[in-house]
Amino acid sequence: MRKKVIAGNWKMNKLLGEAVQFVEDTKVKVPSTEKVESVVCAPFPYLPTLVEKAKGTDLAIAAQNMHFEESGAFTGEVSPAMLKDIGVTYVVLGHSERRELFAETDETVNKKAHAAFAHQLVPIICVGETLEQRESNTTMEVVEDQVKKAIDGLSEEQVKASIIAYEPIWAIGTGKTATSEQANEVCTHIRKVVANAVSETAAEAVRIQYGGSVKPSNVDELLSQSDIDGALVGGASLEADSFLQLVEAGAK
Ligand SMILES: O=C(CO)COP(=O)(O)O
C-alpha cells in the first residue's frame, strides 16, 4: 500500500502572520498515521519559521522551487543545500507555472531532481498537458515525454522515493477538475512509463498525485482511484479547515 501524500501548494500567497497561523492551526490536527503524509509548500521567506513551528509534528514543509546548483553566482536563486540546511524535506519541481512563466524546461527539472536527491530532498515532479494538447489527443505522449526526461539517470531507489504530480494545466485554478477516470487514466500511464523506463518495482513504489481544482468535495473520488496516491492542491489548501479535510480524506 502506497502512503498517500496531500500537499498544499500555496503558490505566491499569504503574508508571514497568515502562514504561521495556518501552521499553528493545522500542525496538531494533521493525522498521525501510516496512511497519509501532510505537506505544505510555502514561499521561500517563510520556510525557516514554518519548519521551526512544525518541528516534531506530522506536518512537513516544502519549497516550491529551487536551483540545481549547490552555490554560486545565481542572483535571486535558492540552492538545494540551503533548503536542506534549514530543514525543508520536499521540493516541488517543474510546476506548470514555472515551465510557462519562468522558462523551466524538462532538462532543468531533471537537473533539479538529481540535485534534490543529492541533498536528501524528496522531489514532487510536476507534469501535465495543456488544453490544446488534450484536445489534439496528445496527452499521453506529452506526459510520457515529461516523465521520462524528468527521471532520466535517477537510480531505482531514487525513483521509488519520488513523487510525480500529474496536473493537467487546463484544470489548474479553473474550477475544472479532470474526471477521476481521466485523472486515473493518465496516472496509470505514468506508472507504466516508470515501469518501462526503470522497473516494475519502481513503478509500484513511486507515488503519483493528481492536481487541478482538488477540493474537499471531489477529493474522495479522486483518491479512490487505483493509481492516484495523493493530491497537489492550490486554492483549496489556503484555508486550514479545507486543507485538513483533504488530509483527512487521505487518511481514510
Ligand atoms: O497548481 C495546482 C497545485 O500545484 C493546482 O491548483 P488549484 O488546486 O488551485 O487548481
Side-chain angles (χ1 to χ4, degrees):
M1 210 29 209
R2 291 178 291 268
K3 191 172 185 179
K4 296 221 167 20
V5 193
I6 303 294
N9 175 12
W10 288 350
K11 308 189 180 184
M12 197 174 71
N13 289 296
K14 293 192 186 294
L15 296 178
L16 178 60
E18 297 162 333
V20 168
Q21 190 61 51
F22 180 105
V23 169
E24 292 294 353
D25 291 346
T26 54
K27 68 180 186 184
V28 287
K29 294 190 186 151
V30 288
S32 184
T33 150
E34 276 314 298
K35 290 192 170 164
V36 70
E37 277 163 46
S38 310
V39 183
V40 162
C41 314
F44 287 131
Y46 311 151
L47 293 175
T49 309
L50 300 188
V51 167
E52 279 308 311
K53 297 271 174 211
K55 220 169 232 167
T57 74
D58 289 289
L59 185 66
I61 305 297
Q64 299 174 9
N65 179 37
M66 66 177 193
H67 198 277
F68 48 83
E69 293 288 355
E70 175 101 15
S71 63
F74 301 102
T75 301
E77 290 292 320
V78 171
S79 82
M82 293 171 189
L83 296 180
K84 171 70 184 161
D85 188 45
I86 60 169
V88 165
T89 43
Y90 301 75
V91 60
V92 177
L93 300 179
H95 190 280
S96 60
E97 286 149 17
R98 298 224 51 93
R99 291 177 191 258
E100 264 181 66
L101 306 171
F102 301 98
E104 190 83 73
T105 64
D106 288 326
E107 193 193 351
T108 56
V109 172
N110 178 249
K111 284 185 178 171
K112 291 178 181 192
H114 282 272
F117 282 112
H119 295 87
Q120 297 83 47
L121 298 165
V122 176
I124 301 177
I125 299 166
C126 303
V127 297
E129 82 285 5
T130 62
L131 183 58
E132 202 184 359
Q133 290 163 336
R134 173 151 290 263
E135 286 175 346
S136 61
N137 290 320
T138 54
T139 297
M140 295 302 185
E141 57 193 89
V142 166
V143 170
E144 175 162 349
D145 195 50
Q146 289 172 331
V147 170
K148 278 191 196 154
K149 288 178 172 158
I151 64 173
D152 187 43
L154 293 181
S155 70
E156 183 182 53
E157 285 309 308
Q158 290 171 338
V159 175
K160 282 163 73 176
S162 296
I163 298 169
I164 298 174
Y166 166 56
E167 299 205 306
I169 295 168
W170 49 272
I172 295 177
T174 57
K176 261 193 215 171
T177 328
T179 64
S180 46
E181 290 76 21
Q182 278 174 326
N184 195 52
E185 193 186 17
V186 181
C187 293
T188 304
H189 185 63
I190 291 173
R191 211 176 290 288
K192 275 201 199 114
V193 171
V194 173
N196 291 333
V198 187
S199 68
E200 284 289 345
T201 319
E204 258 316 296
V206 69
R207 287 174 301 164
I208 305 175
Q209 295 174 311
Y210 167 76
S213 300
V214 177
K215 42 190 183 277
S217 60
N218 61 21
V219 70
D220 284 328
E221 208 195 321
L222 287 160
L223 294 184
S224 71
Q225 300 295 312
S226 59
D227 284 300
I228 301 181
D229 307 316
L232 185 58
V233 189
S237 75
L238 291 170
E239 297 298 329
D241 280 353
S242 161
F243 176 72
L244 286 168
Q245 286 179 52
L246 298 170
V247 294
E248 288 298 341
K252 278 181 194 161

